[in-house]
């Protein structure tokens, strides 16, 4: 990696951040919020034709919420065996009886701080290594061809 590429790499890594999901109640948070919905056993059974067999979690952007239902632009579903299937923001409405837990995606300050520290440490080491290589000295101390 070139030293000139280092700022771009650090900026890209730092922008990622770390997230966690925190439980919320229905009515849900503001529209557009990223949420995770864990389904009840009834939800997994009744929504199989709509979401796929054995879906236990639905993640997406909140597009609507009432006391009786939550509507999402679905981005991913997780199956009982842990496999995730990605969606293209298809709209889905989930009835309250199918929802075991509704969680909101939030930035985890602690995890982001730790990840940022790790990125800074790697960037510092990479810069030090890169500046050592670019100093123009070569191993063995010779600067040019030897005597003829």
């Amino acid at each position: 990696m070139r030293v000139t590429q280092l700022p771009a790499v650090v900026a890209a890594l730092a922008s990622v951040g770390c997230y966690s999901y925190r439980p919320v109640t229905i009515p849900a948070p503001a529209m557009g919020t990223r949420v995770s919905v864990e389904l009840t056993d009834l939800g997994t059974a009744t929504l199989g034709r709509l979401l796929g067999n054995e879906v236990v979690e639905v993640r997406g952007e909140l597009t609507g919420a009432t006391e009786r239902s939550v509507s999402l632009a679905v981005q991913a579903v997780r199956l009982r065996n842990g496999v995730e299937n990605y969606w293209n923001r298809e709209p889905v409405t989930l009835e309250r009886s199918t929802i075991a837990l509704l969680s909101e995606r939030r930035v985890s300050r602690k995890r982001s701080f730790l990840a940022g520290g790790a990125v800074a440490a790697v960037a510092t080491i990479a810069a030090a290594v890169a500046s050592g290589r670019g100093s123009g000295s070569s191993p063995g101390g010779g600067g040019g061809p030897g005597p003829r």
Side-chain angles (χ1 to χ4, degrees), residues 55-95:
V55 170
V56 294
E57 179 185 10
V58 181
R59 288 192 314 270
E61 188 176 297
L62 189 67
T63 58
T66 68
E67 290 291 330
R68 299 180 64 197
S69 66
V70 172
S71 296
L72 304 174
V74 179
Q75 296 170 326
V77 296
R78 184 175 52 85
L79 306 179
R80 193 175 306 278
N81 65 4
V83 171
E84 289 192 0
N85 294 321
Y86 296 95
W87 288 38
N88 195 23
R89 300 178 45 81
E90 289 88 353
V92 171
T93 298
L94 306 170
E95 297 297 321

Tab-separated table of all heavy atoms in Angstrom, residues 55-95:
chain	number	residue	atom	x	y	z
A	55	VAL	N	-38.020	-18.935	8.603
A	55	VAL	CA	-37.526	-17.584	8.907
A	55	VAL	C	-37.861	-17.258	10.360
A	55	VAL	O	-39.005	-17.410	10.786
A	55	VAL	CB	-38.141	-16.529	7.956
A	55	VAL	CG1	-37.817	-15.117	8.423
A	55	VAL	CG2	-37.623	-16.746	6.546
A	56	VAL	N	-36.844	-16.818	11.114
A	56	VAL	CA	-37.042	-16.464	12.515
A	56	VAL	C	-36.784	-14.982	12.800
A	56	VAL	O	-37.164	-14.472	13.843
A	56	VAL	CB	-36.158	-17.322	13.453
A	56	VAL	CG1	-36.583	-18.787	13.401
A	56	VAL	CG2	-34.689	-17.165	13.132
A	57	GLU	N	-36.133	-14.282	11.854
A	57	GLU	CA	-35.843	-12.862	12.042
A	57	GLU	C	-35.947	-12.137	10.703
A	57	GLU	O	-35.525	-12.654	9.674
A	57	GLU	CB	-34.430	-12.673	12.606
A	57	GLU	CG	-34.042	-11.223	12.808
A	57	GLU	CD	-32.588	-11.061	13.251
A	57	GLU	OE1	-31.822	-12.041	13.222
A	57	GLU	OE2	-32.233	-9.929	13.598
A	58	VAL	N	-36.513	-10.934	10.760
A	58	VAL	CA	-36.659	-10.089	9.579
A	58	VAL	C	-36.016	-8.744	9.904
A	58	VAL	O	-36.313	-8.149	10.939
A	58	VAL	CB	-38.146	-9.876	9.219
A	58	VAL	CG1	-38.301	-9.024	7.975
A	58	VAL	CG2	-38.863	-11.205	9.065
A	59	ARG	N	-35.105	-8.263	9.018
A	59	ARG	CA	-34.461	-6.962	9.228
A	59	ARG	C	-34.758	-6.058	8.053
A	59	ARG	O	-34.753	-6.498	6.908
A	59	ARG	CB	-32.949	-7.123	9.388
A	59	ARG	CG	-32.549	-7.751	10.699
A	59	ARG	CD	-31.062	-7.633	10.973
A	59	ARG	NE	-30.224	-7.964	9.846
A	59	ARG	CZ	-29.747	-9.174	9.570
A	59	ARG	NH1	-30.046	-10.180	10.356
A	59	ARG	NH2	-28.981	-9.370	8.519
A	60	GLY	N	-34.972	-4.782	8.365
A	60	GLY	CA	-35.230	-3.828	7.302
A	60	GLY	C	-35.499	-2.447	7.841
A	60	GLY	O	-35.305	-2.151	9.020
A	61	GLU	N	-35.978	-1.599	6.942
A	61	GLU	CA	-36.270	-0.209	7.272
A	61	GLU	C	-37.759	-0.084	7.583
A	61	GLU	O	-38.599	-0.555	6.812
A	61	GLU	CB	-35.896	0.662	6.079
A	61	GLU	CG	-35.973	2.130	6.342
A	61	GLU	CD	-35.484	2.906	5.146
A	61	GLU	OE1	-34.296	2.762	4.789
A	61	GLU	OE2	-36.297	3.646	4.554
A	62	LEU	N	-38.082	0.559	8.694
A	62	LEU	CA	-39.464	0.729	9.116
A	62	LEU	C	-40.185	1.687	8.175
A	62	LEU	O	-39.733	2.807	7.947
A	62	LEU	CB	-39.493	1.272	10.543
A	62	LEU	CG	-40.837	1.314	11.229
A	62	LEU	CD1	-41.350	-0.100	11.468
A	62	LEU	CD2	-40.722	2.053	12.550
A	63	THR	N	-41.302	1.229	7.608
A	63	THR	CA	-42.077	2.075	6.698
A	63	THR	C	-43.453	2.397	7.254
A	63	THR	O	-44.145	3.254	6.722
A	63	THR	CB	-42.225	1.405	5.319
A	63	THR	OG1	-42.864	0.132	5.483
A	63	THR	CG2	-40.875	1.239	4.633
A	64	GLY	N	-43.859	1.727	8.321
A	64	GLY	CA	-45.151	1.995	8.936
A	64	GLY	C	-45.316	1.184	10.205
A	64	GLY	O	-44.733	0.110	10.340
A	65	ALA	N	-46.102	1.709	11.155
A	65	ALA	CA	-46.341	0.979	12.403
A	65	ALA	C	-47.644	1.434	13.029
A	65	ALA	O	-47.977	2.617	13.015
A	65	ALA	CB	-45.188	1.204	13.375
A	66	THR	N	-48.390	0.461	13.533
A	66	THR	CA	-49.603	0.722	14.311
A	66	THR	C	-49.536	-0.172	15.534
A	66	THR	O	-48.587	-0.940	15.705
A	66	THR	CB	-50.872	0.403	13.492
A	66	THR	OG1	-50.939	-1.022	13.289
A	66	THR	CG2	-50.893	1.130	12.160
A	67	GLU	N	-50.555	-0.095	16.370
A	67	GLU	CA	-50.625	-0.995	17.529
A	67	GLU	C	-50.754	-2.446	17.085
A	67	GLU	O	-50.395	-3.350	17.817
A	67	GLU	CB	-51.806	-0.621	18.435
A	67	GLU	CG	-51.620	0.677	19.181
A	67	GLU	CD	-50.542	0.591	20.247
A	67	GLU	OE1	-50.332	-0.496	20.819
A	67	GLU	OE2	-49.896	1.617	20.499
A	68	ARG	N	-51.240	-2.680	15.872
A	68	ARG	CA	-51.524	-4.033	15.411
A	68	ARG	C	-50.504	-4.602	14.440
A	68	ARG	O	-50.450	-5.813	14.230
A	68	ARG	CB	-52.900	-4.067	14.773
A	68	ARG	CG	-53.992	-3.680	15.775
A	68	ARG	CD	-55.343	-3.705	15.161
A	68	ARG	NE	-55.674	-5.061	14.755
A	68	ARG	CZ	-56.635	-5.348	13.911
A	68	ARG	NH1	-57.340	-4.404	13.362
A	68	ARG	NH2	-56.888	-6.590	13.596
A	69	SER	N	-49.673	-3.745	13.801
A	69	SER	CA	-48.752	-4.269	12.794
A	69	SER	C	-47.549	-3.351	12.605
A	69	SER	O	-47.550	-2.198	13.033
A	69	SER	CB	-49.467	-4.452	11.457
A	69	SER	OG	-49.857	-3.193	10.936
A	70	VAL	N	-46.533	-3.920	11.946
A	70	VAL	CA	-45.316	-3.193	11.592
A	70	VAL	C	-45.047	-3.482	10.125
A	70	VAL	O	-45.099	-4.636	9.693
A	70	VAL	CB	-44.118	-3.670	12.455
A	70	VAL	CG1	-42.817	-3.071	11.963
A	70	VAL	CG2	-44.339	-3.335	13.913
A	71	SER	N	-44.749	-2.429	9.344
A	71	SER	CA	-44.430	-2.598	7.928
A	71	SER	C	-42.962	-2.270	7.713
A	71	SER	O	-42.441	-1.295	8.267
A	71	SER	CB	-45.292	-1.674	7.063
A	71	SER	OG	-46.645	-2.029	7.196
A	72	LEU	N	-42.301	-3.117	6.911
A	72	LEU	CA	-40.869	-2.965	6.659
A	72	LEU	C	-40.565	-3.013	5.169
A	72	LEU	O	-41.266	-3.680	4.408
A	72	LEU	CB	-40.072	-4.111	7.296
A	72	LEU	CG	-40.205	-4.393	8.768
A	72	LEU	CD1	-39.429	-5.655	9.123
A	72	LEU	CD2	-39.695	-3.229	9.568
A	73	ALA	N	-39.475	-2.350	4.796
A	73	ALA	CA	-38.826	-2.570	3.505
A	73	ALA	C	-37.719	-3.571	3.847
A	73	ALA	O	-36.684	-3.208	4.408
A	73	ALA	CB	-38.259	-1.276	2.951
A	74	VAL	N	-37.942	-4.849	3.561
A	74	VAL	CA	-37.085	-5.932	4.044
A	74	VAL	C	-35.738	-5.944	3.332
A	74	VAL	O	-35.667	-5.906	2.103
A	74	VAL	CB	-37.781	-7.301	3.900
A	74	VAL	CG1	-36.869	-8.427	4.374
A	74	VAL	CG2	-39.089	-7.305	4.674
A	75	GLN	N	-34.672	-6.002	4.133
A	75	GLN	CA	-33.305	-6.070	3.613
A	75	GLN	C	-32.694	-7.455	3.797
A	75	GLN	O	-31.822	-7.842	3.036
A	75	GLN	CB	-32.441	-5.013	4.291
A	75	GLN	CG	-32.923	-3.609	3.944
A	75	GLN	CD	-32.262	-2.544	4.785
A	75	GLN	OE1	-31.958	-2.753	5.949
A	75	GLN	NE2	-32.037	-1.389	4.190
A	76	ALA	N	-33.140	-8.189	4.826
A	76	ALA	CA	-32.595	-9.532	5.071
A	76	ALA	C	-33.528	-10.316	5.969
A	76	ALA	O	-34.275	-9.740	6.763
A	76	ALA	CB	-31.213	-9.444	5.713
A	77	VAL	N	-33.478	-11.628	5.821
A	77	VAL	CA	-34.162	-12.537	6.744
A	77	VAL	C	-33.141	-13.575	7.205
A	77	VAL	O	-32.211	-13.917	6.474
A	77	VAL	CB	-35.387	-13.234	6.099
A	77	VAL	CG1	-36.448	-12.223	5.729
A	77	VAL	CG2	-34.994	-14.063	4.893
A	78	ARG	N	-33.307	-14.022	8.450
A	78	ARG	CA	-32.420	-15.056	8.992
A	78	ARG	C	-33.249	-16.297	9.266
A	78	ARG	O	-34.299	-16.233	9.894
A	78	ARG	CB	-31.739	-14.581	10.285
A	78	ARG	CG	-30.734	-15.603	10.832
A	78	ARG	CD	-29.987	-15.063	12.049
A	78	ARG	NE	-30.850	-14.545	13.089
A	78	ARG	CZ	-31.415	-15.273	14.046
A	78	ARG	NH1	-31.244	-16.574	14.092
A	78	ARG	NH2	-32.167	-14.695	14.953
A	79	LEU	N	-32.745	-17.435	8.785
A	79	LEU	CA	-33.433	-18.708	8.982
A	79	LEU	C	-33.061	-19.322	10.321
A	79	LEU	O	-32.065	-18.935	10.950
A	79	LEU	CB	-33.061	-19.669	7.845
A	79	LEU	CG	-33.288	-19.171	6.425
A	79	LEU	CD1	-32.848	-20.233	5.420
A	79	LEU	CD2	-34.725	-18.762	6.206
A	80	ARG	N	-33.830	-20.298	10.737
A	80	ARG	CA	-33.587	-20.985	12.009
A	80	ARG	C	-32.167	-21.562	12.087
A	80	ARG	O	-31.548	-21.576	13.136
A	80	ARG	CB	-34.613	-22.106	12.184
A	80	ARG	CG	-34.668	-22.676	13.572
A	80	ARG	CD	-35.785	-23.691	13.741
A	80	ARG	NE	-37.116	-23.237	13.370
A	80	ARG	CZ	-37.926	-22.519	14.144
A	80	ARG	NH1	-37.534	-22.146	15.333
A	80	ARG	NH2	-39.126	-22.176	13.736
A	81	ASN	N	-31.610	-22.000	10.957
A	81	ASN	CA	-30.264	-22.593	10.941
A	81	ASN	C	-29.150	-21.546	10.863
A	81	ASN	O	-27.984	-21.884	10.732
A	81	ASN	CB	-30.127	-23.590	9.791
A	81	ASN	CG	-30.241	-22.941	8.424
A	81	ASN	OD1	-30.343	-21.728	8.303
A	81	ASN	ND2	-30.241	-23.774	7.392
A	82	GLY	N	-29.510	-20.234	10.915
A	82	GLY	CA	-28.516	-19.169	10.925
A	82	GLY	C	-28.196	-18.587	9.564
A	82	GLY	O	-27.533	-17.561	9.467
A	83	VAL	N	-28.660	-19.208	8.495
A	83	VAL	CA	-28.402	-18.707	7.149
A	83	VAL	C	-29.192	-17.413	6.940
A	83	VAL	O	-30.350	-17.311	7.350
A	83	VAL	CB	-28.805	-19.753	6.085
A	83	VAL	CG1	-28.745	-19.182	4.685
A	83	VAL	CG2	-27.920	-20.976	6.207
A	84	GLU	N	-28.543	-16.428	6.303
A	84	GLU	CA	-29.220	-15.170	5.998
A	84	GLU	C	-29.481	-15.079	4.501
A	84	GLU	O	-28.625	-15.427	3.693
A	84	GLU	CB	-28.376	-13.974	6.435
A	84	GLU	CG	-28.313	-13.812	7.918
A	84	GLU	CD	-27.732	-12.477	8.347
A	84	GLU	OE1	-27.376	-11.648	7.493
A	84	GLU	OE2	-27.649	-12.267	9.566
A	85	ASN	N	-30.679	-14.615	4.157
A	85	ASN	CA	-31.044	-14.356	2.769
A	85	ASN	C	-31.298	-12.863	2.640
A	85	ASN	O	-32.000	-12.270	3.465
A	85	ASN	CB	-32.305	-15.130	2.375
A	85	ASN	CG	-32.068	-16.620	2.370
A	85	ASN	OD1	-31.015	-17.091	1.967
A	85	ASN	ND2	-33.063	-17.378	2.821
A	86	TYR	N	-30.718	-12.251	1.615
A	86	TYR	CA	-30.834	-10.813	1.434
A	86	TYR	C	-31.945	-10.485	0.460
A	86	TYR	O	-32.133	-11.174	-0.535
A	86	TYR	CB	-29.489	-10.240	0.978
A	86	TYR	CG	-28.450	-10.446	2.066
A	86	TYR	CD1	-27.606	-11.546	2.040
A	86	TYR	CD2	-28.374	-9.576	3.135
A	86	TYR	CE1	-26.697	-11.770	3.060
A	86	TYR	CE2	-27.467	-9.782	4.160
A	86	TYR	CZ	-26.625	-10.881	4.111
A	86	TYR	OH	-25.742	-11.102	5.136
A	87	TRP	N	-32.680	-9.443	0.799
A	87	TRP	CA	-33.804	-8.986	0.000
A	87	TRP	C	-33.480	-7.618	-0.571
A	87	TRP	O	-32.539	-6.953	-0.136
A	87	TRP	CB	-35.054	-8.907	0.863
A	87	TRP	CG	-35.644	-10.234	1.261
A	87	TRP	CD1	-34.976	-11.374	1.605
A	87	TRP	CD2	-37.021	-10.535	1.386
A	87	TRP	NE1	-35.855	-12.362	1.933
A	87	TRP	CE2	-37.130	-11.866	1.815
A	87	TRP	CE3	-38.177	-9.802	1.186
A	87	TRP	CZ2	-38.345	-12.485	2.031
A	87	TRP	CZ3	-39.390	-10.416	1.414
A	87	TRP	CH2	-39.473	-11.748	1.823
A	88	ASN	N	-34.326	-7.168	-1.489
A	88	ASN	CA	-34.127	-5.887	-2.149
A	88	ASN	C	-35.205	-4.879	-1.717
A	88	ASN	O	-35.886	-4.304	-2.547
A	88	ASN	CB	-34.126	-6.070	-3.671
A	88	ASN	CG	-33.565	-4.872	-4.387
A	88	ASN	OD1	-32.809	-4.102	-3.817
A	88	ASN	ND2	-33.956	-4.711	-5.638
A	89	ARG	N	-35.359	-4.723	-0.402
A	89	ARG	CA	-36.286	-3.754	0.190
A	89	ARG	C	-37.745	-4.013	-0.209
A	89	ARG	O	-38.536	-3.081	-0.343
A	89	ARG	CB	-35.860	-2.326	-0.148
A	89	ARG	CG	-34.467	-1.976	0.358
A	89	ARG	CD	-34.017	-0.578	-0.004
A	89	ARG	NE	-35.013	0.458	0.199
A	89	ARG	CZ	-35.314	1.045	1.370
A	89	ARG	NH1	-34.666	0.691	2.453
A	89	ARG	NH2	-36.232	1.983	1.436
A	90	GLU	N	-38.114	-5.293	-0.356
A	90	GLU	CA	-39.510	-5.608	-0.648
A	90	GLU	C	-40.380	-5.279	0.558
A	90	GLU	O	-39.978	-5.509	1.701
A	90	GLU	CB	-39.667	-7.093	-1.006
A	90	GLU	CG	-39.084	-7.467	-2.342
A	90	GLU	CD	-37.625	-7.858	-2.297
A	90	GLU	OE1	-36.983	-7.716	-1.236
A	90	GLU	OE2	-37.109	-8.286	-3.339
A	91	PRO	N	-41.587	-4.734	0.322
A	91	PRO	CA	-42.465	-4.367	1.445
A	91	PRO	C	-43.137	-5.590	2.055
A	91	PRO	O	-43.625	-6.470	1.343
A	91	PRO	CB	-43.491	-3.442	0.792
A	91	PRO	CG	-43.514	-3.847	-0.645
A	91	PRO	CD	-42.133	-4.344	-0.971
A	92	VAL	N	-43.162	-5.624	3.390
A	92	VAL	CA	-43.815	-6.698	4.130
A	92	VAL	C	-44.477	-6.088	5.359
A	92	VAL	O	-43.877	-5.237	6.027
A	92	VAL	CB	-42.805	-7.782	4.568
A	92	VAL	CG1	-43.447	-8.775	5.514
A	92	VAL	CG2	-42.237	-8.502	3.360
A	93	THR	N	-45.703	-6.518	5.664
A	93	THR	CA	-46.390	-6.087	6.884
A	93	THR	C	-46.525	-7.290	7.803
A	93	THR	O	-46.986	-8.353	7.382
A	93	THR	CB	-47.775	-5.496	6.559
A	93	THR	OG1	-47.583	-4.342	5.733
A	93	THR	CG2	-48.502	-5.091	7.824
A	94	LEU	N	-46.095	-7.116	9.044
A	94	LEU	CA	-46.126	-8.185	10.042
A	94	LEU	C	-47.149	-7.838	11.121
A	94	LEU	O	-47.090	-6.753	11.710
A	94	LEU	CB	-44.745	-8.352	10.683
A	94	LEU	CG	-43.584	-8.577	9.712
A	94	LEU	CD1	-42.258	-8.486	10.447
A	94	LEU	CD2	-43.737	-9.917	9.025
A	95	GLU	N	-48.076	-8.755	11.376
A	95	GLU	CA	-49.070	-8.547	12.427
A	95	GLU	C	-48.415	-8.705	13.800
A	95	GLU	O	-47.452	-9.461	13.959
A	95	GLU	CB	-50.220	-9.543	12.269
A	95	GLU	CG	-51.001	-9.383	10.978
A	95	GLU	CD	-51.691	-8.026	10.876
A	95	GLU	OE1	-52.213	-7.526	11.905
A	95	GLU	OE2	-51.701	-7.458	9.767
